[in-house]
Amino acid sequence: MQNSESIKAIPSNRLQFFPIMMFATVMGLMGLSMVFIKLNESFDFPYEIGFYLGLFTSVLFLIIVLTYFLKIVLYAKEVKHELSHPIRVNFFAAFSISTLLLSMFFRHIDMYIANILFFIGALVHIFFTFYTIKFWINNNLEIAHSNPAWFIPIVGNLIVPIAGVGFIDKSILYFYYSIGIFFWIILFSIILNRIIFHKQFAAKFMPTLFILIAPPAIGFISYIKLTSNLDFFAHILYSLGLFFTILVFVMYKNYMNIKFFISWWAFTFPMAAISLATILMYELTSVVFYEYLSYIFTLITTSIVVLVAAQTVVHMRKKEICIME
């Protein structure tokens, strides 16, 4: 009886259109949590900020998982539609990335839980990697379907080595890293072609330009985790991450006056990624410039997350999220 009441508590139409993109909220919030935890390790910031934000995000992750599970049970056709959608299919990997980020957070609490979360995240992510590539090959996609969200299922493999060091043999982590780096270059070429030679992105996809920051920034962190060596290639990765960060802010006029969409969460995780990469760069070099840059990026990331989270709550209360598009 209680189960049936809890199912009815979620309006059927809103549950039916509950988007897989909601997992991007977990990526953004947990990314910010990891930034504050890293600041505690490097600059003696209060540990409680990152810790409690991480706990809150973990609860949010469970709520989103349970809600989407209800959608799978009650509205399987809608889920199949998302799995066959040329754009939304890429966001299913946000679930596995969120699981990997939770694994990284739980390393500070319980290694056993972190280990379980890592294996779930790594296995699910490689499944979505193969599923997405097969989807691209077997369907007649158009250049207009391409956007930086395509990086999520493929380049997300770069997160696996960060979460997996100490849990699994490094040869497997190199496997994931190789996939991520290779397809980053391929997909970037496709998306740059789309940006330059074809119609401009629709307004709702403009925030996804921030995703261009994530592959080199995450690739840098992952490379350091695997090799413990700040060599020429590592500098290239970090410098590219910094370049794309400057680029998207130079293009700030593109994001002004954009109506709120759930895609706004694309602003958040990439900024957390470059913040973490910059803090790591300071740890490796002790160059004061990177210390100041760490503070600046953390302030920007925090401001963006707070803004996007507030707008999400406002539009949820207006029932403008989880509706048919």
Side-chain angles (χ1 to χ4, degrees):
M1 183 70 179
Q2 189 174 359
N3 290 336
S4 62
E5 289 178 357
S6 63
I7 291 175
K8 291 179 181 179
I10 304 174
S12 60
N13 61 325
R14 299 186 73 193
L15 178 61
Q16 181 179 358
F17 301 112
F18 185 81
I20 189 65
M21 290 86 83
M22 287 298 290
F23 283 103
T25 64
V26 177
M27 291 175 58
L29 290 170
M30 190 56 79
L32 182 61
S33 171
M34 298 308 298
V35 168
F36 279 108
I37 289 174
K38 193 68 176 173
L39 285 173
N40 167 258
E41 297 172 355
S42 301
F43 304 119
D44 294 324
F45 263 57
Y47 175 73
E48 290 77 12
I49 300 174
F51 176 73
Y52 287 115
L53 179 59
L55 288 182
F56 169 79
T57 309
S58 300
V59 173
L60 178 64
F61 174 76
L62 287 175
I63 292 172
I64 295 174
V65 167
L66 290 173
T67 304
Y68 203 83
F69 177 75
L70 281 177
K71 178 178 176 177
I72 293 172
V73 172
L74 300 177
Y75 298 100
K77 287 185 178 179
E78 285 295 328
V79 177
K80 290 179 181 178
H81 172 68
E82 286 191 307
L83 277 169
S84 59
H85 192 280
I87 295 172
R88 294 182 187 178
V89 66
N90 302 292
F91 285 91
F92 277 87
F95 163 73
S96 51
I97 292 175
S98 297
T99 307
L100 292 167
L101 293 174
L102 259 70
S103 172
M104 293 162 60
F105 171 70
F106 272 93
R107 276 180 178 263
H108 303 273
I109 302 173
D110 189 309
M111 290 294 288
Y112 179 73
I113 295 176
N115 196 357
I116 293 174
L117 288 169
F118 165 73
F119 279 101
I120 293 173
L123 289 172
V124 173
H125 196 83
I126 198 65
F127 167 78
F128 282 126
T129 296
F130 284 112
Y131 179 90
T132 306
I133 294 176
K134 186 180 75 170
F135 179 86
W136 292 342
I137 293 172
N138 291 339
N139 290 274
N140 296 320
L141 300 182
E142 300 177 5
I143 192 68
H145 293 145
S146 64
N147 66 79
W150 281 25
F151 285 134
I152 296 173
I154 307 302
V155 185
N157 287 282
L158 295 173
I159 298 176
V160 175
I162 303 174
V165 169
F167 287 148
I168 199 169
D169 188 85
K170 276 193 176 182
S171 61
I172 298 176
L173 300 181
Y174 277 115
F175 170 76
Y176 279 93
Y177 189 85
S178 301
I179 296 170
I181 284 292
F182 175 78
F183 279 100
W184 167 44
I185 298 169
I186 301 298
L187 293 177
F188 179 77
S189 301
I190 295 171
I191 291 166
L192 189 63
N193 174 279
R194 189 260 191 256
I195 291 172
I196 295 176
F197 296 109
H198 298 271
K199 290 183 179 180
Q200 195 176 46
F201 288 132
K204 67 186 298 182
F205 292 117
M206 290 305 294
T208 64
L209 287 174
F210 269 66
I211 299 177
L212 295 174
I213 300 170
I218 294 297
F220 166 74
I221 299 171
S222 188
Y223 183 78
I224 296 298
K225 281 283 186 180
L226 288 170
T227 66
S228 302
N229 187 20
L230 183 62
D231 56 16
F232 181 65
F233 183 63
H235 275 286
I236 289 176
L237 289 173
Y238 177 77
S239 298
L240 286 171
L242 187 58
F243 167 78
F244 285 119
T245 305
I246 297 170
L247 177 64
V248 294
F249 279 102
V250 167
M251 297 172 59
Y252 72 95
K253 290 184 179 179
N254 294 59
Y255 317 112
M256 305 299 289
N257 303 319
I258 295 179
K259 181 183 175 183
F260 177 82
F261 296 101
I262 198 66
S263 60
W264 273 30
W265 282 97
F267 288 131
T268 59
F269 180 72
M271 281 306 305
I274 193 62
S275 300
L276 287 166
T278 303
I279 298 169
L280 178 58
M281 182 62 88
Y282 172 74
E283 288 182 348
L284 296 169
T285 64
S286 299
V287 175
V288 177
F289 169 75
Y290 294 122
E291 179 181 5
Y292 291 136
L293 200 58
S294 298
Y295 294 139
I296 293 170
F297 283 157
T298 299
L299 178 61
I300 294 172
T301 304
T302 304
S303 301
I304 290 174
V305 170
V306 170
L307 172 64
V308 175
Q311 287 297 311
T312 302
V313 172
V314 168
H315 285 79
M316 286 182 71
R317 294 184 68 177
K318 291 180 179 179
K319 296 185 179 181
E320 295 176 351
I321 296 178
C322 306
I323 58 176
M324 184 173 64
E325 297 183 6

